[in-house]
Each structure stands twice: as C-alpha cells, then as structure tokens.
Short mmCIF file of all heavy atoms in Angstrom, two decimals:
data_model
loop_
_atom_site.label_atom_id
_atom_site.label_comp_id
_atom_site.label_asym_id
_atom_site.label_seq_id
_atom_site.Cartn_x
_atom_site.Cartn_y
_atom_site.Cartn_z
N SER A 1 -55.99 -169.17 -43.75
CA SER A 1 -54.75 -169.25 -44.57
C SER A 1 -53.64 -169.99 -43.76
O SER A 1 -53.61 -169.89 -42.50
CB SER A 1 -54.31 -167.87 -44.89
OG SER A 1 -52.98 -167.82 -45.40
N ALA A 2 -52.83 -170.69 -44.47
CA ALA A 2 -51.74 -171.42 -43.78
C ALA A 2 -50.65 -170.46 -43.35
O ALA A 2 -49.88 -170.73 -42.43
CB ALA A 2 -51.14 -172.46 -44.70
N VAL A 3 -50.51 -169.30 -44.02
CA VAL A 3 -49.45 -168.37 -43.74
C VAL A 3 -50.04 -167.35 -42.69
O VAL A 3 -51.04 -166.76 -42.81
CB VAL A 3 -49.03 -167.52 -45.02
CG1 VAL A 3 -47.99 -166.51 -44.67
CG2 VAL A 3 -48.57 -168.52 -46.06
N MET A 4 -49.21 -167.15 -41.58
CA MET A 4 -49.60 -166.25 -40.51
C MET A 4 -48.49 -165.24 -40.26
O MET A 4 -47.39 -165.45 -40.68
CB MET A 4 -49.90 -167.14 -39.26
CG MET A 4 -51.08 -168.05 -39.45
SD MET A 4 -51.44 -169.00 -38.00
CE MET A 4 -50.22 -170.30 -38.11
N GLN A 5 -48.92 -164.20 -39.59
CA GLN A 5 -47.99 -163.11 -39.31
C GLN A 5 -48.09 -162.76 -37.80
O GLN A 5 -49.18 -162.71 -37.24
CB GLN A 5 -48.43 -161.89 -40.10
CG GLN A 5 -47.51 -160.68 -40.13
CD GLN A 5 -46.51 -160.72 -41.14
OE1 GLN A 5 -46.74 -161.27 -42.22
NE2 GLN A 5 -45.36 -160.13 -40.92
N ARG A 6 -46.92 -162.57 -37.16
CA ARG A 6 -46.84 -162.09 -35.81
C ARG A 6 -45.75 -161.09 -35.77
O ARG A 6 -44.54 -161.47 -35.94
CB ARG A 6 -46.58 -163.20 -34.84
CG ARG A 6 -46.60 -162.70 -33.39
CD ARG A 6 -46.57 -163.79 -32.34
NE ARG A 6 -45.54 -164.70 -32.54
CZ ARG A 6 -45.76 -166.07 -32.67
NH1 ARG A 6 -46.95 -166.53 -32.65
NH2 ARG A 6 -44.70 -166.88 -32.89
N GLY A 7 -46.04 -159.82 -35.54
CA GLY A 7 -45.00 -158.78 -35.62
C GLY A 7 -44.44 -158.77 -37.01
O GLY A 7 -45.16 -158.71 -37.99
N SER A 8 -43.13 -158.83 -37.11
CA SER A 8 -42.42 -158.87 -38.39
C SER A 8 -42.14 -160.24 -38.92
O SER A 8 -41.62 -160.42 -39.98
CB SER A 8 -41.14 -158.07 -38.31
OG SER A 8 -40.29 -158.68 -37.42
N MET A 9 -42.58 -161.25 -38.15
CA MET A 9 -42.33 -162.68 -38.55
C MET A 9 -43.52 -163.27 -39.34
O MET A 9 -44.68 -163.19 -38.94
CB MET A 9 -42.16 -163.54 -37.33
CG MET A 9 -41.78 -164.97 -37.66
SD MET A 9 -41.29 -165.86 -36.13
CE MET A 9 -42.34 -167.31 -36.25
N THR A 10 -43.20 -163.81 -40.49
CA THR A 10 -44.19 -164.54 -41.29
C THR A 10 -43.86 -166.09 -41.12
O THR A 10 -42.72 -166.42 -41.24
CB THR A 10 -44.07 -164.15 -42.76
OG1 THR A 10 -44.29 -162.78 -42.88
CG2 THR A 10 -45.12 -164.87 -43.58
N TYR A 11 -44.86 -166.82 -40.83
CA TYR A 11 -44.59 -168.24 -40.47
C TYR A 11 -45.77 -169.11 -40.91
O TYR A 11 -46.86 -168.66 -41.16
CB TYR A 11 -44.28 -168.38 -39.06
CG TYR A 11 -45.41 -168.07 -38.12
CD1 TYR A 11 -46.17 -169.15 -37.55
CD2 TYR A 11 -45.74 -166.86 -37.72
CE1 TYR A 11 -47.20 -168.91 -36.71
CE2 TYR A 11 -46.74 -166.56 -36.88
CZ TYR A 11 -47.51 -167.60 -36.33
OH TYR A 11 -48.50 -167.34 -35.48
N VAL A 12 -45.53 -170.46 -40.89
CA VAL A 12 -46.53 -171.46 -41.08
C VAL A 12 -46.36 -172.46 -39.88
O VAL A 12 -45.29 -172.46 -39.28
CB VAL A 12 -46.40 -172.22 -42.43
CG1 VAL A 12 -46.62 -171.26 -43.57
CG2 VAL A 12 -45.08 -172.91 -42.61
N LEU A 13 -47.38 -173.23 -39.66
CA LEU A 13 -47.27 -174.30 -38.69
C LEU A 13 -47.04 -175.61 -39.44
O LEU A 13 -47.92 -176.06 -40.18
CB LEU A 13 -48.59 -174.35 -37.79
CG LEU A 13 -48.78 -173.16 -36.94
CD1 LEU A 13 -50.14 -173.31 -36.28
CD2 LEU A 13 -47.69 -173.07 -35.84
N VAL A 14 -45.86 -176.18 -39.25
CA VAL A 14 -45.54 -177.44 -39.89
C VAL A 14 -45.96 -178.58 -38.97
O VAL A 14 -45.74 -178.53 -37.77
CB VAL A 14 -43.98 -177.53 -40.13
CG1 VAL A 14 -43.56 -178.85 -40.72
CG2 VAL A 14 -43.59 -176.41 -41.10
N VAL A 15 -46.55 -179.58 -39.56
CA VAL A 15 -46.99 -180.74 -38.78
C VAL A 15 -45.87 -181.84 -38.86
O VAL A 15 -45.53 -182.33 -39.91
CB VAL A 15 -48.27 -181.39 -39.35
CG1 VAL A 15 -48.70 -182.59 -38.52
CG2 VAL A 15 -49.37 -180.31 -39.42
N GLY A 16 -45.28 -182.13 -37.67
CA GLY A 16 -44.22 -183.12 -37.59
C GLY A 16 -44.70 -184.52 -37.64
O GLY A 16 -45.87 -184.77 -37.69
N ALA A 17 -43.77 -185.48 -37.70
CA ALA A 17 -44.08 -186.88 -37.76
C ALA A 17 -44.96 -187.42 -36.71
O ALA A 17 -45.76 -188.37 -36.88
CB ALA A 17 -42.76 -187.68 -37.84
N ASN A 18 -44.93 -186.81 -35.53
CA ASN A 18 -45.73 -187.28 -34.42
C ASN A 18 -47.06 -186.45 -34.27
O ASN A 18 -47.68 -186.38 -33.23
CB ASN A 18 -44.95 -187.24 -33.12
CG ASN A 18 -44.49 -185.77 -32.79
OD1 ASN A 18 -44.58 -184.81 -33.60
ND2 ASN A 18 -43.91 -185.63 -31.57
N ASN A 19 -47.39 -185.69 -35.36
CA ASN A 19 -48.59 -184.81 -35.45
C ASN A 19 -48.57 -183.64 -34.50
O ASN A 19 -49.50 -183.12 -34.05
CB ASN A 19 -49.83 -185.62 -35.23
CG ASN A 19 -50.14 -186.52 -36.38
OD1 ASN A 19 -49.64 -186.33 -37.51
ND2 ASN A 19 -50.96 -187.56 -36.19
N GLN A 20 -47.26 -183.24 -34.09
CA GLN A 20 -47.07 -182.05 -33.28
C GLN A 20 -46.76 -180.89 -34.17
O GLN A 20 -46.01 -181.07 -35.14
CB GLN A 20 -45.93 -182.32 -32.32
CG GLN A 20 -45.86 -181.34 -31.23
CD GLN A 20 -44.88 -181.77 -30.15
OE1 GLN A 20 -43.98 -182.65 -30.38
NE2 GLN A 20 -44.95 -181.23 -28.90
N VAL A 21 -47.33 -179.72 -33.92
CA VAL A 21 -47.05 -178.54 -34.78
C VAL A 21 -45.88 -177.72 -34.27
O VAL A 21 -45.65 -177.62 -33.05
CB VAL A 21 -48.36 -177.63 -34.87
CG1 VAL A 21 -49.47 -178.42 -35.57
CG2 VAL A 21 -48.77 -177.05 -33.57
N HIS A 22 -45.17 -177.18 -35.25
CA HIS A 22 -43.97 -176.34 -34.96
C HIS A 22 -44.05 -175.12 -35.85
O HIS A 22 -44.29 -175.24 -37.07
CB HIS A 22 -42.69 -177.10 -35.19
CG HIS A 22 -42.62 -178.39 -34.43
ND1 HIS A 22 -42.27 -178.36 -33.08
CD2 HIS A 22 -42.80 -179.68 -34.78
CE1 HIS A 22 -42.32 -179.67 -32.62
NE2 HIS A 22 -42.67 -180.46 -33.66
N GLU A 23 -43.80 -173.95 -35.27
CA GLU A 23 -43.72 -172.73 -36.08
C GLU A 23 -42.48 -172.76 -36.94
O GLU A 23 -41.40 -173.13 -36.46
CB GLU A 23 -43.72 -171.49 -35.18
CG GLU A 23 -44.94 -171.26 -34.43
CD GLU A 23 -44.93 -170.02 -33.56
OE1 GLU A 23 -43.85 -169.30 -33.58
OE2 GLU A 23 -45.91 -169.74 -32.87
N ARG A 24 -42.58 -172.27 -38.14
CA ARG A 24 -41.43 -172.24 -39.11
C ARG A 24 -41.56 -170.88 -39.81
O ARG A 24 -42.53 -170.61 -40.51
CB ARG A 24 -41.55 -173.37 -40.10
CG ARG A 24 -40.52 -173.40 -41.17
CD ARG A 24 -39.29 -174.17 -40.76
NE ARG A 24 -39.46 -175.52 -40.37
CZ ARG A 24 -39.68 -176.57 -41.16
NH1 ARG A 24 -39.61 -176.39 -42.47
NH2 ARG A 24 -39.84 -177.74 -40.70
N ALA A 25 -40.53 -170.12 -39.67
CA ALA A 25 -40.44 -168.83 -40.37
C ALA A 25 -40.32 -169.08 -41.85
O ALA A 25 -39.61 -170.04 -42.29
CB ALA A 25 -39.31 -168.00 -39.87
N VAL A 26 -40.96 -168.29 -42.71
CA VAL A 26 -40.97 -168.49 -44.12
C VAL A 26 -40.72 -167.12 -44.82
O VAL A 26 -41.04 -166.10 -44.22
CB VAL A 26 -42.22 -169.18 -44.66
CG1 VAL A 26 -42.30 -170.61 -44.25
CG2 VAL A 26 -43.47 -168.37 -44.39
N THR A 27 -40.24 -167.17 -46.05
CA THR A 27 -40.14 -165.98 -46.87
C THR A 27 -41.06 -166.13 -48.03
O THR A 27 -41.09 -167.16 -48.69
CB THR A 27 -38.65 -165.86 -47.47
OG1 THR A 27 -37.75 -165.84 -46.33
CG2 THR A 27 -38.49 -164.62 -48.27
N LEU A 28 -41.92 -165.11 -48.25
CA LEU A 28 -42.92 -165.19 -49.23
C LEU A 28 -42.44 -164.62 -50.55
O LEU A 28 -41.53 -163.80 -50.61
CB LEU A 28 -44.15 -164.38 -48.77
CG LEU A 28 -44.82 -164.80 -47.48
CD1 LEU A 28 -46.01 -163.90 -47.22
CD2 LEU A 28 -45.19 -166.25 -47.52
N GLY A 29 -43.03 -165.14 -51.62
CA GLY A 29 -42.67 -164.69 -53.00
C GLY A 29 -43.90 -164.06 -53.63
O GLY A 29 -44.59 -163.29 -52.99
N GLN A 30 -44.20 -164.46 -54.82
CA GLN A 30 -45.26 -163.91 -55.61
C GLN A 30 -46.65 -164.29 -55.06
O GLN A 30 -46.80 -165.39 -54.50
CB GLN A 30 -45.18 -164.33 -57.06
CG GLN A 30 -43.94 -163.80 -57.77
CD GLN A 30 -43.89 -164.32 -59.17
OE1 GLN A 30 -44.60 -165.18 -59.65
NE2 GLN A 30 -42.93 -163.74 -59.96
N ARG A 31 -47.63 -163.37 -55.30
CA ARG A 31 -48.98 -163.65 -54.90
C ARG A 31 -49.80 -163.71 -56.16
O ARG A 31 -49.59 -162.98 -57.13
CB ARG A 31 -49.56 -162.56 -53.98
CG ARG A 31 -48.91 -162.52 -52.66
CD ARG A 31 -49.52 -161.39 -51.82
NE ARG A 31 -48.82 -161.29 -50.56
CZ ARG A 31 -49.22 -161.87 -49.40
NH1 ARG A 31 -50.29 -162.63 -49.42
NH2 ARG A 31 -48.59 -161.74 -48.31
N SER A 32 -50.84 -164.57 -56.12
CA SER A 32 -51.78 -164.66 -57.23
C SER A 32 -53.14 -165.06 -56.66
O SER A 32 -53.36 -166.19 -56.19
CB SER A 32 -51.34 -165.78 -58.24
OG SER A 32 -52.31 -165.90 -59.29
N GLY A 33 -53.98 -164.06 -56.59
CA GLY A 33 -55.31 -164.25 -55.96
C GLY A 33 -55.16 -164.56 -54.47
O GLY A 33 -54.51 -163.83 -53.72
N ASP A 34 -55.70 -165.77 -54.09
CA ASP A 34 -55.55 -166.16 -52.66
C ASP A 34 -54.39 -167.07 -52.43
O ASP A 34 -54.26 -167.66 -51.37
CB ASP A 34 -56.90 -166.80 -52.19
CG ASP A 34 -57.20 -168.07 -52.94
OD1 ASP A 34 -56.62 -168.33 -53.98
OD2 ASP A 34 -58.08 -168.82 -52.47
N ARG A 35 -53.52 -167.20 -53.41
CA ARG A 35 -52.37 -168.11 -53.28
C ARG A 35 -51.07 -167.24 -53.16
O ARG A 35 -50.99 -166.16 -53.65
CB ARG A 35 -52.26 -168.97 -54.55
CG ARG A 35 -53.53 -169.80 -54.67
CD ARG A 35 -53.39 -170.70 -55.86
NE ARG A 35 -52.56 -171.84 -55.43
CZ ARG A 35 -52.50 -173.01 -56.02
NH1 ARG A 35 -53.28 -173.22 -57.09
NH2 ARG A 35 -51.72 -173.95 -55.55
N VAL A 36 -50.08 -167.85 -52.48
CA VAL A 36 -48.82 -167.16 -52.27
C VAL A 36 -47.70 -168.17 -52.34
O VAL A 36 -47.84 -169.32 -51.88
CB VAL A 36 -48.78 -166.35 -50.94
CG1 VAL A 36 -48.94 -167.31 -49.73
CG2 VAL A 36 -47.52 -165.52 -50.80
N GLN A 37 -46.62 -167.77 -52.94
CA GLN A 37 -45.41 -168.57 -53.11
C GLN A 37 -44.58 -168.58 -51.80
O GLN A 37 -44.39 -167.49 -51.24
CB GLN A 37 -44.59 -168.14 -54.26
CG GLN A 37 -43.31 -168.84 -54.45
CD GLN A 37 -42.37 -168.17 -55.50
OE1 GLN A 37 -42.49 -167.00 -55.69
NE2 GLN A 37 -41.52 -168.96 -56.14
N ILE A 38 -44.17 -169.75 -51.30
CA ILE A 38 -43.19 -169.81 -50.20
C ILE A 38 -41.85 -169.97 -50.87
O ILE A 38 -41.52 -171.04 -51.44
CB ILE A 38 -43.53 -171.00 -49.24
CG1 ILE A 38 -44.94 -170.92 -48.72
CG2 ILE A 38 -42.51 -171.06 -48.14
CD1 ILE A 38 -45.25 -169.86 -47.71
N LYS A 39 -40.97 -168.97 -50.75
CA LYS A 39 -39.66 -169.05 -51.40
C LYS A 39 -38.67 -169.76 -50.58
O LYS A 39 -37.78 -170.48 -51.09
CB LYS A 39 -39.17 -167.61 -51.71
CG LYS A 39 -39.94 -166.91 -52.79
CD LYS A 39 -39.46 -165.57 -53.08
CE LYS A 39 -38.15 -165.65 -53.87
NZ LYS A 39 -37.69 -164.36 -54.37
N HIS A 40 -38.69 -169.52 -49.23
CA HIS A 40 -37.70 -170.15 -48.30
C HIS A 40 -38.40 -170.57 -47.03
O HIS A 40 -39.36 -169.95 -46.60
CB HIS A 40 -36.59 -169.19 -47.99
CG HIS A 40 -35.86 -168.69 -49.20
ND1 HIS A 40 -34.94 -169.45 -49.86
CD2 HIS A 40 -35.88 -167.52 -49.83
CE1 HIS A 40 -34.49 -168.77 -50.91
NE2 HIS A 40 -35.05 -167.54 -50.91
N GLY A 41 -37.86 -171.62 -46.46
CA GLY A 41 -38.31 -172.05 -45.11
C GLY A 41 -39.21 -173.32 -45.03
O GLY A 41 -39.51 -173.78 -44.04
N LEU A 42 -39.61 -173.82 -46.26
CA LEU A 42 -40.50 -174.90 -46.27
C LEU A 42 -39.94 -175.89 -47.34
O LEU A 42 -39.60 -175.49 -48.42
CB LEU A 42 -41.90 -174.50 -46.59
CG LEU A 42 -43.06 -175.44 -46.33
CD1 LEU A 42 -43.10 -175.87 -44.87
CD2 LEU A 42 -44.31 -174.82 -46.79
N LYS A 43 -39.93 -177.21 -47.02
CA LYS A 43 -39.47 -178.20 -48.01
C LYS A 43 -40.65 -178.76 -48.72
O LYS A 43 -41.80 -178.73 -48.18
CB LYS A 43 -38.74 -179.36 -47.23
CG LYS A 43 -37.50 -178.90 -46.55
CD LYS A 43 -36.89 -180.08 -45.78
CE LYS A 43 -35.67 -179.59 -44.96
NZ LYS A 43 -35.28 -180.52 -43.99
N ALA A 44 -40.41 -179.30 -49.88
CA ALA A 44 -41.50 -179.88 -50.72
C ALA A 44 -42.15 -181.01 -49.91
O ALA A 44 -41.47 -181.75 -49.22
CB ALA A 44 -40.95 -180.37 -52.03
N ASN A 45 -43.49 -181.09 -49.99
CA ASN A 45 -44.26 -182.16 -49.37
C ASN A 45 -44.32 -182.10 -47.86
O ASN A 45 -44.85 -183.03 -47.27
CB ASN A 45 -43.79 -183.53 -49.87
CG ASN A 45 -44.02 -183.68 -51.29
OD1 ASN A 45 -44.99 -183.22 -51.93
ND2 ASN A 45 -43.03 -184.31 -52.02
N GLU A 46 -43.84 -181.05 -47.24
CA GLU A 46 -44.02 -180.92 -45.74
C GLU A 46 -45.52 -180.55 -45.50
O GLU A 46 -46.11 -179.70 -46.17
CB GLU A 46 -43.09 -179.87 -45.15
CG GLU A 46 -41.73 -180.30 -44.93
CD GLU A 46 -40.95 -179.31 -44.11
OE1 GLU A 46 -40.71 -178.19 -44.59
OE2 GLU A 46 -40.52 -179.66 -43.04
N ALA A 47 -46.07 -181.19 -44.50
CA ALA A 47 -47.49 -180.90 -44.13
C ALA A 47 -47.57 -179.61 -43.33
O ALA A 47 -46.78 -179.48 -42.40
CB ALA A 47 -48.08 -182.09 -43.42
N VAL A 48 -48.50 -178.77 -43.64
CA VAL A 48 -48.73 -177.56 -42.88
C VAL A 48 -50.19 -177.48 -42.45
O VAL A 48 -51.05 -178.07 -43.12
CB VAL A 48 -48.31 -176.29 -43.64
CG1 VAL A 48 -46.84 -176.31 -43.98
CG2 VAL A 48 -49.17 -176.13 -44.90
N VAL A 49 -50.43 -176.74 -41.38
CA VAL A 49 -51.80 -176.50 -40.97
C VAL A 49 -52.43 -175.48 -41.88
O VAL A 49 -51.89 -174.38 -42.13
CB VAL A 49 -51.85 -175.95 -39.51
CG1 VAL A 49 -53.23 -175.57 -39.13
CG2 VAL A 49 -51.28 -176.97 -38.56
N GLU A 50 -53.52 -175.88 -42.56
CA GLU A 50 -54.17 -175.00 -43.53
C GLU A 50 -55.18 -174.04 -42.94
O GLU A 50 -55.37 -172.92 -43.48
CB GLU A 50 -54.86 -175.78 -44.63
CG GLU A 50 -53.80 -176.55 -45.54
CD GLU A 50 -54.55 -177.26 -46.67
OE1 GLU A 50 -55.63 -176.86 -47.11
OE2 GLU A 50 -54.01 -178.32 -47.06
N SER A 51 -55.86 -174.49 -41.91
CA SER A 51 -56.87 -173.56 -41.29
C SER A 51 -56.93 -173.78 -39.78
O SER A 51 -56.54 -174.89 -39.32
CB SER A 51 -58.23 -173.81 -41.89
OG SER A 51 -58.66 -175.11 -41.68
N GLY A 52 -57.31 -172.84 -39.03
CA GLY A 52 -57.37 -172.96 -37.59
C GLY A 52 -56.05 -172.75 -36.88
O GLY A 52 -55.97 -172.93 -35.67
N GLY A 53 -55.01 -172.32 -37.64
CA GLY A 53 -53.71 -172.16 -37.02
C GLY A 53 -53.67 -171.10 -35.99
O GLY A 53 -52.88 -171.19 -34.97
N ALA A 54 -54.57 -170.10 -36.05
CA ALA A 54 -54.58 -169.08 -34.99
C ALA A 54 -54.98 -169.61 -33.63
O ALA A 54 -54.74 -168.97 -32.60
CB ALA A 54 -55.57 -167.99 -35.43
N PHE A 55 -55.59 -170.80 -33.57
CA PHE A 55 -55.97 -171.41 -32.33
C PHE A 55 -54.99 -172.39 -31.79
O PHE A 55 -55.16 -172.99 -30.74
CB PHE A 55 -57.36 -172.10 -32.52
CG PHE A 55 -58.42 -171.20 -32.97
CD1 PHE A 55 -58.81 -171.21 -34.27
CD2 PHE A 55 -59.04 -170.32 -32.09
CE1 PHE A 55 -59.79 -170.32 -34.79
CE2 PHE A 55 -60.05 -169.44 -32.50
CZ PHE A 55 -60.41 -169.46 -33.85
N LEU A 56 -53.88 -172.53 -32.51
CA LEU A 56 -52.80 -173.49 -32.08
C LEU A 56 -51.63 -172.76 -31.60
O LEU A 56 -51.32 -171.65 -32.09
CB LEU A 56 -52.44 -174.39 -33.27
CG LEU A 56 -53.57 -175.28 -33.79
CD1 LEU A 56 -53.15 -175.99 -35.08
CD2 LEU A 56 -54.01 -176.31 -32.78
N THR A 57 -50.78 -173.42 -30.78
CA THR A 57 -49.52 -172.86 -30.41
C THR A 57 -48.45 -173.90 -30.62
O THR A 57 -48.70 -175.13 -30.74
CB THR A 57 -49.55 -172.40 -28.91
OG1 THR A 57 -49.85 -173.52 -28.03
CG2 THR A 57 -50.49 -171.27 -28.66
N GLU A 58 -47.18 -173.48 -30.59
CA GLU A 58 -46.08 -174.37 -30.73
C GLU A 58 -46.19 -175.62 -29.83
O GLU A 58 -46.43 -175.43 -28.61
CB GLU A 58 -44.78 -173.60 -30.36
CG GLU A 58 -43.50 -174.37 -30.41
CD GLU A 58 -42.99 -174.78 -31.73
OE1 GLU A 58 -43.31 -174.11 -32.72
OE2 GLU A 58 -42.33 -175.82 -31.81
N GLY A 59 -46.06 -176.79 -30.37
CA GLY A 59 -46.04 -177.99 -29.58
C GLY A 59 -47.46 -178.67 -29.45
O GLY A 59 -47.53 -179.78 -28.94
N ASP A 60 -48.51 -178.00 -29.91
CA ASP A 60 -49.83 -178.60 -29.83
C ASP A 60 -49.87 -179.85 -30.75
O ASP A 60 -49.07 -179.91 -31.73
CB ASP A 60 -50.94 -177.65 -30.28
CG ASP A 60 -51.27 -176.64 -29.26
OD1 ASP A 60 -50.87 -176.78 -28.07
OD2 ASP A 60 -51.98 -175.70 -29.54
N PHE A 61 -50.74 -180.76 -30.40
CA PHE A 61 -50.91 -181.98 -31.22
C PHE A 61 -52.21 -181.79 -32.04
O PHE A 61 -53.12 -181.22 -31.59
CB PHE A 61 -50.99 -183.22 -30.37
CG PHE A 61 -49.72 -183.62 -29.75
CD1 PHE A 61 -49.39 -183.12 -28.51
CD2 PHE A 61 -48.87 -184.43 -30.43
CE1 PHE A 61 -48.18 -183.49 -27.94
CE2 PHE A 61 -47.65 -184.81 -29.87
CZ PHE A 61 -47.31 -184.29 -28.62
N VAL A 62 -52.11 -182.30 -33.28
CA VAL A 62 -53.29 -182.23 -34.24
C VAL A 62 -53.62 -183.57 -34.84
O VAL A 62 -52.75 -184.48 -34.77
CB VAL A 62 -53.04 -181.16 -35.34
CG1 VAL A 62 -52.87 -179.78 -34.79
CG2 VAL A 62 -51.78 -181.55 -36.21
N ARG A 63 -54.78 -183.70 -35.35
CA ARG A 63 -55.12 -184.88 -36.12
C ARG A 63 -55.20 -184.42 -37.56
O ARG A 63 -55.91 -183.55 -37.97
CB ARG A 63 -56.58 -185.32 -35.68
CG ARG A 63 -56.97 -186.59 -36.36
CD ARG A 63 -58.29 -187.13 -35.85
NE ARG A 63 -59.32 -186.11 -35.83
CZ ARG A 63 -60.39 -186.07 -36.64
NH1 ARG A 63 -60.58 -187.07 -37.51
NH2 ARG A 63 -61.23 -185.07 -36.59
N VAL A 64 -54.39 -185.12 -38.37
CA VAL A 64 -54.27 -184.76 -39.78
C VAL A 64 -55.51 -185.36 -40.56
O VAL A 64 -55.82 -186.54 -40.42
CB VAL A 64 -52.96 -185.32 -40.41
CG1 VAL A 64 -52.91 -185.05 -41.90
CG2 VAL A 64 -51.77 -184.74 -39.69
N VAL A 65 -56.20 -184.55 -41.24
CA VAL A 65 -57.32 -184.90 -42.10
C VAL A 65 -56.99 -184.55 -43.54
O VAL A 65 -56.66 -183.43 -43.86
CB VAL A 65 -58.57 -184.16 -41.70
CG1 VAL A 65 -59.78 -184.49 -42.61
CG2 VAL A 65 -58.92 -184.41 -40.27
N LYS A 66 -56.98 -185.54 -44.41
CA LYS A 66 -56.66 -185.31 -45.83
C LYS A 66 -57.98 -185.26 -46.58
O LYS A 66 -58.90 -185.98 -46.38
CB LYS A 66 -55.78 -186.46 -46.38
CG LYS A 66 -54.52 -186.53 -45.64
CD LYS A 66 -53.50 -187.47 -46.26
CE LYS A 66 -52.28 -187.50 -45.35
NZ LYS A 66 -51.05 -187.48 -46.00
N GLY A 67 -58.08 -184.20 -47.47
CA GLY A 67 -59.29 -184.02 -48.15
C GLY A 67 -59.23 -183.99 -49.62
O GLY A 67 -58.47 -184.22 -50.36
#
C-alpha cells in the first residue's frame, strides 16, 4: 500500500523531480475495499511510492517504473 503509518502519523512517500523520496503526512477520507481517499496532503498527479515503501527512508533515490 502507498499509505503507511508510524505511530500516530499517516503518510505517503512522494517521489520528487530528482527521483528522491520524501515523507508527506496525509489525512485519509473514505475507504472502499482496498482503496482509500487522500483528503489532505497530496496534490493531484504527484507521484507516490506504491509498493516497497517500508524498505525506503526519507531521501532515498528510486527508479520510477510506469505500468
């Protein structure tokens, strides 16, 4: 899942222009099955890490794969 939890913080890893990841706190909204609404903290069309985020930390570099 792209949405992760650490303590009371819910966050996603946003992929910056230089393919570096940054933690971004988000506020969740409605859930439907395995999908969840991001109400606040993320802009439209921002790239996020969809899987493997648990193995990444702030500032790591990634290779973006579009599928």
